[in-house]
Amino acid sequence: MNQFTRRNFIRAALATTGSVVVSTPLQAMSRPQLPSEVTFEHGVASGDPLQDAVILWTRATPAAGTEPSAPTKVTWELSSDPEFKKIVRRGGAETDLARDFTVKIDVQGLQPNTAYYYRFIGASEQSPVGRTKTLPAAGIEQVKLAIFSCSNYPAGYFNAYQLAAASDDWDAVLHLGDYIYEYGSGGYATERAAEIGRALPEDNRGELYTITDYRKRYALYRTDAGLQALHAAAPFIAVWDDHEISNDTWKAGAQNHSEDEGDFFARRAAAVQAYYEWLPIRPPMGERNPQIYRSFRFGDLLDLHMLDTRVIGRDQQLDFKRYMDSEGNFDGRAFSAAMADPDRSLLGKPQLQWLQETLSTSTGHWQLLGQQVLMGKIHLPVEMMTSFYRGGSQNHTAELIGLKAASLQGKPLTESQRARLQHVVPYNLDAWDGYAVERELLYRHIKGLNKNLVVVAGDTHNAWYSHLKDAAGQMVGVEFAAPSVTSPGMETYLKMDEEAATEMAAGMPVLVDELQYCNLHQRGYMALTFRRDGVQAEWKYVDNIRSTEFVEVARHSVTHTLS
């Protein structure tokens, strides 16, 4: 199945018309009904651009005293200039409480590789002006993408979004998940929320379970000035990770969901509905279906495939603790048998088949997988992992890095020293490392296609750059992973100060064979620039998330060139 065909696009558009206004050239200047008294306190957004279409979004908050069940009407305009002197499309849209007063317009029949400006109009108030852009059809030599993940409101201000919004040359923004977090007050990364003015409001202080809970959390996040600015600056292409539903979600449950919290699938349905309402997304199978994987074509330079490694196909994660006895001894044989299970899946068979077929027929110079979790192998010595899970205070990381460096320099090691380095296990079983059989299957398929592969990931809250190698040690592609917007990273988990985190980040590529770079303590985002001869990744970090006063404090750049 070729995801890029016009037939598939029309099918997707028809699947969403129940809640999305579809605007074609035949409706270019339709006369809308008189708009309602509304405010636009959550800003505007655009997303899921195609060569000839884009989604426009806002929330039309009814004026105080409006009957809750009454429909709300707004006018929308699309222009080729920011002053709206050359309006190319105008129409009306109606929303109501059933959609949490969100508005989506699927504007079709547009020109490729073209910037447009849009706004929404109420009876007495006008929204901010947004800028969007359609995808190129052909004849381009560069694509520039901003990559984000893991924005936790109580943990800090979304200054990374604000930093990226200052640039006006993005072709699109990729958000790889954890756009919101489901925890309540007192939960993950909320320790300083009240102190910095990011406490959850009284009517949304608990963990999220219902459609009302999730809607209110999105509404809160969309009050952040940085997030509003970036949404207004460029179109988003987004997928969810786990926290849009619940921590460590898999296809039939989640780590952060217990039986006394109600039916998991009812919770998931509420979360999915709120996500589709609040994100400028064109769901491939309609807004009641959790299938979110889909593809985008940037001319003949880049084909982007957005995946779901979390909700629809993932088997439950393995847990190291299940393979350790009361003394803390690790049962490596049982763990290896579980890891080798050929039926364990991260994508699920339907999505894997779709991806394999799509990659086989895609003709872009680059193939980009936009997904949530690290694909590169991050294997660490067993003693590091067992010490961590035992809760021990001894840290042998520096010693092990020294031994690995000595080995790479050809210095002799004792048999016991070599054993310490050779006995490794995956660092993160929630990532592709926990689903190694399926990863190898995908690698074999990609290797056979001989295509230029780049993978992007989020989830870990830290920056990573890895060479992707199959079981035979052959290069399959490269992976670039984005740091978090605000969520704390490895420096917090391992209780490291900035100096210790910097030292460990410098040593990790020595210890981990595929790893080329990591940053373990700074917040920010990642920019990717694709050209014919290579792709450049640039990580940009902010100095502060505890207030809206910040500066860009550091950058790191690498370029992967085609041989």
Side-chain angles (χ1 to χ4, degrees):
M1 181 178 70
N2 186 344
Q3 188 69 11
F4 300 116
T5 64
R6 184 70 184 174
R7 180 180 299 173
N8 284 331
F9 166 67
I10 293 172
R11 184 187 304 129
L14 291 174
T16 63
T17 54
S19 56
V20 180
V21 175
V22 178
S23 173
T24 69
L26 295 176
Q27 305 156 327
M29 299 296 284
S30 63
R31 294 183 177 274
Q33 296 176 291
L34 291 176
S36 307
E37 289 286 354
V38 297
T39 58
F40 299 99
E41 59 200 68
H42 301 100
V44 298
S46 69
D48 272 17
L50 303 173
Q51 283 80 13
D52 61 351
V54 68
I55 297 285
L56 307 181
W57 180 97
T58 193
R59 185 174 192 259
T61 305
T66 302
E67 172 60 40
S69 61
T72 296
K73 302 178 179 66
V74 296
T75 298
W76 61 271
E77 293 178 335
L78 185 78
S79 174
S80 59
D81 69 293
E83 291 78 28
F84 288 80
K85 295 178 181 179
K86 300 177 182 179
I87 296 175
V88 297
R89 200 73 59 82
R90 177 189 291 125
E94 184 174 294
T95 185
D96 54 29
L97 183 61
R99 287 198 54 77
D100 200 21
F101 299 101
T102 59
V103 177
K104 279 189 188 179
I105 315 295
D106 193 347
V107 190
Q108 301 175 11
L110 302 176
Q111 295 300 308
N113 201 30
T114 300
Y116 292 96
Y117 301 85
Y118 62 96
R119 64 188 179 187
F120 295 85
I121 302 168
S124 304
E125 184 171 322
Q126 179 178 294
S127 76
V129 173
R131 178 187 181 276
T132 192
K133 187 179 182 183
T134 51
L135 300 187
I140 58 163
E141 296 301 320
Q142 176 178 297
V143 170
K144 189 173 181 181
L145 306 172
I147 319 292
F148 292 86
S149 71
C150 305
S151 47
N152 189 319
Y153 182 95
Y157 291 84
F158 299 158
N159 294 332
Y161 292 141
Q162 191 76 60
L163 179 63
S167 298
D168 62 0
D169 58 348
W170 303 118
D171 289 291
V173 173
L174 305 191
H175 202 291
L176 303 179
D178 293 348
Y179 185 96
I180 65 166
Y181 279 72
E182 86 285 9
Y183 295 111
S185 294
Y188 171 75
T190 62
E191 296 85 358
R192 307 192 70 169
E195 174 189 341
I196 64 175
R198 299 285 274 190
L200 299 175
E202 287 295 331
D203 67 347
N204 197 227
R205 291 177 60 84
E207 190 175 332
L208 309 184
Y209 301 110
T210 69
I211 183 64
T212 300
D213 294 339
Y214 286 101
R215 285 170 168 173
K216 287 182 177 180
R217 190 63 55 86
Y218 280 102
L220 174 66
Y221 276 54
R222 291 293 279 270
T223 62
D224 182 272
L227 181 52
Q228 286 198 16
L230 187 57
H231 267 304
F236 271 51
I237 298 175
V239 288
W240 50 53
D241 195 9
D242 52 342
H243 290 290
E244 287 88 350
I245 301 171
S246 186
N247 182 54
D248 285 356
T249 295
W250 55 288
K251 66 183 181 184
Q255 177 275 329
N256 194 32
H257 185 86
S258 56
E259 291 184 1
D260 61 357
E261 292 176 326
D263 180 72
F264 171 76
F265 292 103
R267 181 181 188 178
R268 190 183 78 173
V272 167
Q273 180 178 341
Y275 184 90
Y276 284 155
E277 289 172 350
W278 279 85
L279 271 291
I281 185 174
R282 185 185 294 106
M285 300 300 292
E287 297 201 344
R288 299 295 181 184
N289 193 313
Q291 179 181 316
I292 199 173
Y293 56 87
R294 62 210 193 279
S295 292
F296 300 85
R297 169 173 285 172
F298 293 76
D300 63 350
L301 180 60
L302 173 68
D303 291 341
L304 166 65
H305 314 291
M306 299 295 277
L307 306 181
D308 176 0
T309 62
R310 184 59 68 179
V311 174
I312 60 173
R314 174 191 282 258
D315 289 314
Q316 188 173 12
Q317 301 89 334
L318 297 178
D319 187 339
F320 282 116
K321 293 180 180 178
R322 300 176 197 161
Y323 301 94
M324 298 181 73
D325 62 23
S326 59
E327 302 297 322
N329 298 307
F330 181 65
D331 187 346
R333 182 173 297 180
F335 174 76
S336 297
M339 284 285 291
D341 183 352
D343 295 325
R344 278 182 53 74
S345 179
L346 187 67
L347 298 175
K349 289 183 179 179
Q351 184 179 195
L352 178 60
Q353 181 179 359
W354 167 85
L355 179 58
Q356 291 172 324
E357 293 175 353
T358 301
L359 287 170
S360 296
T361 57
S362 296
T363 58
H365 184 68
W366 292 96
Q367 301 296 314
L368 174 61
L369 303 186
Q371 49 95 64
Q372 298 81 356
V373 295
L374 289 180
M375 185 173 285
K377 300 182 183 75
I378 309 292
H379 291 183
L380 297 175
V382 170
E383 68 178 273
M384 286 179 62
M385 299 301 294
T386 53
S387 176
F388 173 75
Y389 279 97
R390 286 172 181 155
S393 59
Q394 290 185 320
N395 187 341
H396 300 290
T397 304
E399 182 183 355
L400 290 163
I401 291 173
L403 289 175
K404 184 64 176 289
S407 174
L408 293 173
Q409 294 167 5
K411 297 179 180 179
L413 300 182
T414 66
E415 184 176 345
S416 63
Q417 288 172 331
R418 288 195 300 271
R420 293 176 68 187
L421 295 175
Q422 292 168 355
H423 295 166
V424 297
V425 292
Y427 144 70
N428 183 3
L429 296 177
D430 187 55
W432 279 91
D433 265 342
Y435 303 82
V437 174
E438 185 173 73
R439 177 175 58 192
E440 194 64 24
L441 178 65
L442 181 59
Y443 280 0
R444 283 199 302 272
H445 181 79
I446 294 170
K447 188 71 176 175
L449 297 175
N450 194 32
K451 294 188 176 181
N452 304 319
L453 177 72
V454 175
V455 177
V456 288
D459 184 63
T460 67
H461 311 165
N462 296 121
W464 309 85
Y465 165 40
S466 293
H467 289 167
L468 302 180
K469 296 182 179 180
D470 62 17
Q474 295 181 317
M475 278 281 289
V476 178
V478 294
E479 177 178 55
F480 304 106
S484 67
V485 175
T486 61
S487 296
M490 192 177 287
E491 82 287 358
T492 299
Y493 308 142
L494 299 184
K495 298 179 174 60
M496 296 183 291
D497 59 19
E498 181 175 341
E499 181 180 358
T502 301
E503 290 179 359
M504 184 171 178
M508 284 286 283
V510 176
L511 194 61
V512 180
D513 292 336
E514 293 190 8
L515 185 62
Q516 309 300 306
Y517 163 78
C518 64
N519 179 298
L520 304 179
H521 72 286
Q522 289 177 297
R523 313 280 76 81
Y525 76 98
M526 181 174 68
L528 285 188
T529 303
F530 288 86
R531 300 183 180 92
R532 297 285 168 180
D533 60 349
V535 55
Q536 180 189 49
E538 188 171 35
W539 293 267
K540 302 183 181 184
Y541 304 104
V542 297
D543 69 331
N544 176 49
I545 60 172
R546 294 176 182 170
S547 75
T548 55
E549 299 295 325
F550 74 96
V551 295
E552 180 185 328
V553 70
R555 292 188 183 190
H556 182 81
S557 178
V558 300
T559 300
H560 169 66
T561 57
L562 297 177
S563 56

